[in-house]
Amino acid sequence: MPFHNTLFVSLVSTILLGYTNIWYNIDIRGLRCENDNSPDFPSEVSENSANTVIVLEAGASGFDNPNIANLSGPSIQALPLTSVDWNYTSIPQKYAANQTIQMTRGHVLGGSSAVNGAVFVRPNAIDIDLWETAFGATGWNWQTVSASIKKAEHFSATDNVTSYLSFHGTSGPICDSQRTPGVIWSEGVIPSVLASGGQTSIDQNGGNPSGIWYTPKAMFPNSTRSYSANSYYLPNAGRSNLEVILDVTVSRILWGKSKNGKAVATGVEYINTITGKTSTVSGDRIILSAGVFGTPQVLELSGVGNPKIMNPLGISTVVNLPAVGENLAEQPTTKYVATLASGYTNAGLQLTLNYESPRTLLTPLEWLEAWELLQVAPPNLSAASHAALIAMYLADSVIVEFMGFPNPADLIFLPILLHPMSRGSSHIVSANATHAPSFDLALLESPFDVYILKKAAIRARRFASQSYMKPFLAGEVSPGTAVQTDAQFEAFVKSAVGVAYHPLGTASFGSVVDSTLRVMGTTNVFVVDGSIIPTEPGSHPSSIIYGIGEQAATMLNARPLSSDV
Ligand SMILES: Cc1cc2nc3c(=O)[nH]c(=O)nc-3n(C[C@H](O)[C@H](O)[C@H](O)COP(=O)(O)OP(=O)(O)OC[C@H]3O[C@@H](n4cnc5c(N)ncnc54)[C@H](O)[C@@H]3O)c2cc1C
Ligand SMILES: *[C@@H]1O[C@H](CO)[C@@H](O)[C@H](O)[C@H]1NC(C)=O
Ligand SMILES: *[C@@H]1O[C@H](CO)[C@@H](O)[C@H](O)[C@H]1NC(C)=O
Ligand SMILES: *[C@@H]1O[C@H](CO)[C@@H](O)[C@H](O)[C@H]1NC(C)=O
Ligand SMILES: *[C@@H]1O[C@H](CO)[C@@H](O)[C@H](O)[C@H]1NC(C)=O
Ligand SMILES: *[C@@H]1O[C@H](CO)[C@@H](O)[C@H](O)[C@H]1NC(C)=O
Ligand SMILES: *[C@@H]1O[C@H](CO)[C@@H](O)[C@H](O)[C@H]1NC(C)=O
Ligand SMILES: *[C@@H]1O[C@H](CO)[C@@H](O)[C@H](O)[C@H]1NC(C)=O
């Protein structure tokens, strides 16, 4: 098998850890975001030529796919169920009318950052601080993670939208900016949110996202997608100590002689998805960035997980770690859709997000009702996660997002529950790496989740009923005027549940990885992706995951490889 004396094997993802890891320290004059005077990347530092990196990606490159580049609604909606999607489907959701959920995940270089909605936003500071205080992730808190996100970001203030430049990075690889979405928002939705007791935000990225704002998206000045494959990798593709192998599915980690009772990985095995041929590659450090379904899948295929799941499939236990694949969280959504009055259109690229906290969403009596429901943990919610959710509620961390989509003929203002209590799981059902894992999102298992989402659905209608909206709307499509009572809203929320496509948590801090991101019970296997995030933050996750990648790169670069093997 090919040998690399200091080899990083990484499954490519949003993070593309290999690139940040090796090249963040040198002058990479990558793609520039114009319209501002941000400094160049540091130019006086040298490359760590000791490291060689191999990235193994199951999908193809995607660079020739126009629907990845174009962030317009029709282009993004054309991506699911094509070759760039893993085509995952959940098991029937018992608490949500037995619906199955089609869970889009990027199967392409760049992972889900190639197929996502590109919203670039951060949560309340406490949501990240709890990683350290509730889950024991030493060194991972708002201060460090938000600084790491800034390293990834190249923000350009555009279209006269007010923002605080100090909340943003201005020299990182991922470009982000805003576009103004037109009068439906400036004269209709924003005044309606204010008239309903909401507030405006000047910038949602400083540790408190409350309020409505034209939230930035990860895009270049020409409005095409800026994501890990074209912003971290492409500018550095010529590096001689970097290799990307496409169209290969990692099937398992290979293990050597254990050291002090800990498993030591020596490389990985992978299957070429075109030829079906199996190969191996050796390495000193294995970095799993295979995402919330892929990372626990590879761990279980490699004997790291719950013996009760692995052993019946013929996989012997290497590390007994039952938390692998558990703690799967997802943000459930409901619908608010109204048809636009004739003469109005809501086309364009801008997403307009309104974040509400328990105290703006709920009346004092409702706050207490929800508080009571919050005390009852669903079966698979860990004590640490339960304590974290209570802390977020008491700190008035934002709990619902209303996401304004551009859609030519409709006003869509989608309510998303940000801090669900429900927890599902994702596990292998076959020792064959090409067979998809089976997963349960346990959507709306917790009565707290149902309660908050129902209040959000009611509030969305309240926005649309304000006088400011009258000129713009022709009529409500969803939930529809037949839905009026509390019970009808509850039934609607369960029958029309959707997801934000933000699953997290299946290789969480404190139960699968330690604060160095090392998989417990191993010396040299690390996880660097959304799986490590222990509980849903009050935002979209990609900015946080880029921050994790930057922070992990700094941390791993500072550790001599010899300390792991
Ligand atoms: C439709 C959609 C819309 C979204 N909208 C937003 C948004 O607007 N803003 C936001 O912040 N977030 C959004 N997200 C979420 C965000 O994109 C993800 O949370 C993030 O990209 C996850 O990053 P990750 O590194 O954890 O995993 P991924 O990006 O999913 O990366 C996993 C990678 O590993 C590869 N892989 C998996 N298994 C194997 C294997 N066995 N062998 C080899 N390779 C493997 C995959 O092909 C993929 O490239 C959205 C997601 C989707 C799907
Ligand atoms: C993206 O596609 C839309 C049509 O859906 C088109 O109007 C727009 O010009 C495209 N944008 C870019 C940057 O190619
Ligand atoms: C997803 O489904 C599409 C359409 O059937 C198919 O072309 C594609 O190969 C599938 N993706 C994967 C990863 O199998
Ligand atoms: C969901 O399916 C289960 C098992 O088939 C069934 O018992 C239950 O009644 C169904 N629930 C709904 C709401 O359809
Ligand atoms: C920004 O403001 C300037 C000065 O008021 C104005 O000339 C310009 O047209 C505005 N640009 C946009 C995109 O609104
Ligand atoms: C948009 O800008 C990016 C970054 O500069 C560039 O790579 C891309 O080719 C451009 N796309 C179009 C359609 O102009
Ligand atoms: C809860 O966890 C158990 C194992 O700990 C698992 O068997 C079960 O499927 C989980 N429930 C859900 C909804 O994921
Ligand atoms: C794994 O599953 C695939 C698809 O079902 C099949 O083609 C392949 O032969 C299987 N591999 C093994 C080793 O059984």
Side-chain angles (χ1 to χ4, degrees):
M1 62 172 103
F3 183 75
H4 300 256
N5 70 333
T6 42
L7 169 68
F8 290 67
V9 178
S10 167
L11 304 173
V12 78
S13 75
T14 292
I15 293 164
L16 279 168
L17 178 83
Y19 311 102
T20 50
N21 194 356
I22 307 305
W23 286 283
Y24 115 91
N25 250 349
I26 60 165
D27 180 13
I28 45 172
R29 282 166 208 279
L31 297 167
R32 307 282 305 150
C33 312
E34 299 123 35
N35 346 341
D36 61 4
N37 297 313
S38 56
D40 276 310
F41 292 102
S43 54
E44 298 301 318
V45 284
S46 58
E47 176 184 354
N48 184 352
S49 58
N51 293 330
T52 52
V53 178
I54 289 193
V55 175
L56 302 168
E57 166 55 44
S61 87
F63 290 131
D64 56 357
N65 187 328
N67 293 330
I68 289 178
N70 192 326
L71 283 167
S72 72
S75 294
I76 295 179
Q77 283 154 23
L79 293 167
L81 304 180
T82 67
S83 62
V84 300
D85 184 7
W86 282 87
N87 305 331
Y88 291 136
T89 306
S90 77
I91 67 166
Q93 296 299 285
K94 197 156 121 188
Y95 306 95
N98 285 340
Q99 294 160 90
T100 55
I101 301 291
Q102 183 199 318
M103 177 57 79
T104 308
R105 293 284 98 190
H107 176 264
V108 61
L109 193 68
S112 299
S113 78
V115 302
N116 71 11
V119 171
F120 207 84
V121 66
R122 282 83 143 168
N124 280 91
I126 186 173
D127 298 9
I128 307 289
D129 281 336
L130 283 161
W131 296 4
E132 187 162 56
T133 55
F135 299 95
T138 309
W140 296 86
N141 51 51
W142 169 257
Q143 203 196 332
T144 59
V145 174
S146 65
S148 301
I149 297 172
K150 286 184 185 179
K151 274 194 191 167
E153 182 184 21
H154 187 135
F155 177 71
S156 308
T158 40
D159 271 19
N160 295 345
V161 181
T162 348
S163 45
Y164 291 117
L165 210 51
S166 63
F167 291 178
H168 298 274
T170 52
S171 57
I174 300 293
C175 298
D176 67 320
S177 60
Q178 299 138 298
R179 308 285 180 265
T180 42
V183 290
I184 296 166
W185 297 92
S186 59
E187 291 172 20
V189 181
I190 293 177
S192 298
V193 165
L194 301 186
S196 311
Q199 56 195 72
T200 48
S201 169
I202 296 178
D203 193 320
Q204 291 162 330
N205 283 309
N208 179 5
S210 296
I212 185 162
W213 189 52
Y214 301 133
T215 311
K217 282 171 76 167
M219 56 189 171
F220 297 114
N222 65 15
S223 302
T224 62
R225 181 190 300 272
S226 172
Y227 68 117
S228 64
N230 69 2
S231 299
Y232 272 99
Y233 166 60
L234 209 50
N236 306 299
R239 294 284 165 196
S240 59
N241 54 348
L242 166 65
E243 188 182 354
V244 171
I245 308 183
L246 298 169
D247 301 308
V248 291
T249 302
V250 170
S251 43
R252 64 191 172 106
I253 297 166
L254 304 170
W255 304 104
K257 199 168 165 294
S258 48
K259 193 173 134 186
N260 302 327
K262 305 229 186 244
V264 180
T266 56
V268 300
E269 177 191 87
Y270 59 89
I271 303 164
N272 183 307
T273 58
I274 296 158
T275 62
K277 191 171 161 277
T278 297
S279 313
T280 60
V281 60
S282 63
D284 290 335
R285 244 180 210 166
I286 316 293
I287 297 167
L288 295 176
S289 301
V292 165
F293 303 101
T295 287
Q297 180 186 26
V298 172
L299 287 172
E300 288 177 345
L301 290 168
S302 312
V304 180
N306 187 342
K308 289 194 190 120
I309 290 165
M310 302 182 298
N311 299 353
L313 301 173
I315 300 167
S316 34
T317 307
V318 175
V319 181
N320 182 340
L321 202 55
V324 170
E326 294 294 315
N327 191 49
L328 174 61
E330 169 62 303
Q331 297 169 334
T333 66
T334 183
K335 292 194 179 71
Y336 190 85
V337 184
T339 309
L340 290 176
S342 72
Y344 289 105
T345 173
N346 181 26
L349 285 170
Q350 185 59 45
L351 290 168
T352 307
L353 271 41
N354 178 41
Y355 284 101
E356 303 250 354
S357 71
R359 289 189 195 281
T360 59
L361 180 78
L362 305 171
T363 66
L365 181 64
E366 290 169 345
W367 191 98
L368 279 173
E369 283 178 352
W371 171 252
E372 293 295 324
L373 296 172
L374 184 59
Q375 307 313 308
V376 187
N380 287 7
L381 185 72
S382 71
S385 296
H386 194 198
L389 286 166
I390 288 173
M392 288 190 270
Y393 194 78
L394 288 174
D396 208 35
S397 169
V398 296
I399 196 160
V400 165
E401 174 188 313
F402 297 88
M403 177 157 78
F405 263 98
N407 198 47
D410 302 304
L411 172 80
I412 301 182
F413 211 35
L414 184 83
I416 304 174
L417 168 63
L418 299 169
H419 298 319
M421 294 187 85
S422 306
R423 291 292 184 277
S425 55
S426 177
H427 293 294
I428 55 169
V429 286
S430 162
N432 186 324
T434 68
H435 295 170
S438 168
F439 63 95
D440 183 359
L441 300 163
L443 291 177
L444 303 183
E445 177 175 20
S446 153
F448 174 85
D449 295 0
V450 177
Y451 186 91
I452 301 289
L453 203 53
K454 177 176 69 182
K455 295 300 175 195
I458 293 168
R459 189 159 176 76
R461 178 180 287 164
R462 187 165 159 210
F463 298 144
S465 309
Q466 300 293 326
S467 59
Y468 301 100
M469 287 311 300
K470 289 263 148 52
F472 301 114
L473 299 184
E476 184 178 295
V477 176
S478 183
T481 46
V483 176
Q484 293 296 339
T485 66
D486 202 73
Q488 286 168 336
F489 266 105
E490 183 156 327
F492 169 74
V493 159
K494 289 181 180 173
S495 65
V497 77
V499 292
Y501 304 100
H502 299 164
L504 298 171
T506 50
S508 174
F509 270 132
S511 60
V512 174
V513 297
D514 63 21
S515 44
T516 70
L517 305 185
R518 196 194 324 251
V519 175
M520 293 173 185
T522 75
T523 66
N524 60 347
V525 179
F526 297 83
V527 177
V528 186
D529 63 22
S531 325
I532 67 167
I533 299 177
T535 193
E536 289 285 344
S539 70
H540 297 240
S542 68
S543 69
I544 303 172
I545 298 171
Y546 285 122
I548 290 171
E550 288 284 354
Q551 195 159 326
T554 305
M555 193 179 71
L556 289 170
N557 262 349
R559 290 170 55 82
L561 276 169
S562 55
S563 64
D564 295 337
V565 287

